[in-house]
Amino acid sequence: MGKKRNASNYVVTYPLLTKKQDEDKLNKIMEILTLHYNNVQRKMLKKWKFLINSKLYKEYVSNHYKDLSENEKKTKREEWYEVLKKNNFTEYGVDKYFKIQDGYKKNGVNSMMLKGLSSFLWKSWSKKIANVRSRINLIKNAIKTLRLI
């Protein structure tokens, strides 16, 4: 265990000295990145809604899932993960939406900015996917407790 330091932490902030032209360029870059992020989010949401309504997902979540053996459950889970992977619901799948385009280079957007956006987007989607998994686990646990009663 490390020693506790008594020194205080300070944050030094300096004003960003920019010209009007630089501010306009930064605003344009932020506007482009915001539009691109929202477009990708919209595409992924459409795919997600399609997947939620698919037969495979309904089988994965349904109450009939409880009657399957462990091997059958494992194959269902693997099928579902393959469907997610095929529809780019992985960290690297999200990166495919954030490839740099020629129009972006002219406006000052670089690949590092797009990579940061894609990782930010994946964090939000991974929470959503994990929430679905936890909800399924809650349903399974409720069924198990009902069997015990």
Side-chain angles (χ1 to χ4, degrees):
M1 207 159 130
K3 293 181 179 179
K4 189 173 182 181
R5 296 184 348 180
N6 291 330
S8 299
N9 293 331
Y10 295 98
V11 176
V12 179
T13 57
Y14 294 104
L16 185 61
L17 302 175
T18 59
K19 299 175 187 167
K20 177 70 174 144
Q21 180 182 3
D22 296 335
E23 289 177 16
D24 292 341
K25 188 174 182 179
L26 286 174
N27 287 335
K28 188 170 187 175
I29 289 172
M30 289 302 295
E31 185 178 329
I32 290 170
L33 290 175
T34 304
L35 287 173
H36 189 68
Y37 178 86
N38 289 337
N39 287 337
V40 173
Q41 189 75 282
R42 196 175 304 112
K43 286 178 187 176
M44 290 188 70
L45 192 59
K46 282 180 185 177
K47 279 189 175 186
W48 182 253
K49 287 179 181 178
F50 175 76
L51 288 176
I52 292 296
N53 293 325
S54 69
K55 183 179 176 184
L56 184 64
Y57 177 78
K58 289 179 182 174
E59 288 176 4
Y60 184 62
V61 179
S62 70
N63 291 333
H64 303 294
Y65 190 78
K66 64 183 178 186
D67 299 330
L68 299 176
S69 67
E70 278 302 315
N71 289 337
E72 291 172 334
K73 287 180 184 179
K74 187 175 181 181
T75 56
K76 288 277 187 196
R77 199 175 313 121
E78 288 173 358
E79 286 175 12
W80 176 244
Y81 292 150
E82 284 299 317
V83 168
L84 287 176
K85 192 185 293 186
K86 192 183 343 177
N87 287 290
N88 295 329
F89 281 99
T90 62
E91 187 170 4
Y92 299 111
V94 172
D95 286 344
K96 291 179 184 176
Y97 292 113
F98 286 95
K99 296 293 181 194
I100 192 146
Q101 299 168 358
D102 292 334
Y104 291 162
K105 289 180 184 177
K106 293 175 188 172
N107 293 317
V109 175
N110 61 25
S111 61
M112 292 295 290
M113 293 175 188
L114 293 175
K115 178 63 181 161
L117 264 184
S118 74
S119 64
F120 186 70
L121 182 77
W122 173 246
K123 284 179 188 176
S124 65
W125 275 99
S126 65
K127 288 178 187 176
K128 185 173 185 70
I129 293 170
N131 187 15
V132 169
R133 289 182 193 148
S134 66
R135 195 169 60 222
I136 291 169
N137 288 335
L138 284 174
I139 292 169
K140 288 178 193 174
N141 291 337
I143 291 169
K144 285 179 186 176
T145 55
L146 289 174
R147 285 183 188 169
L148 295 175
I149 296 175

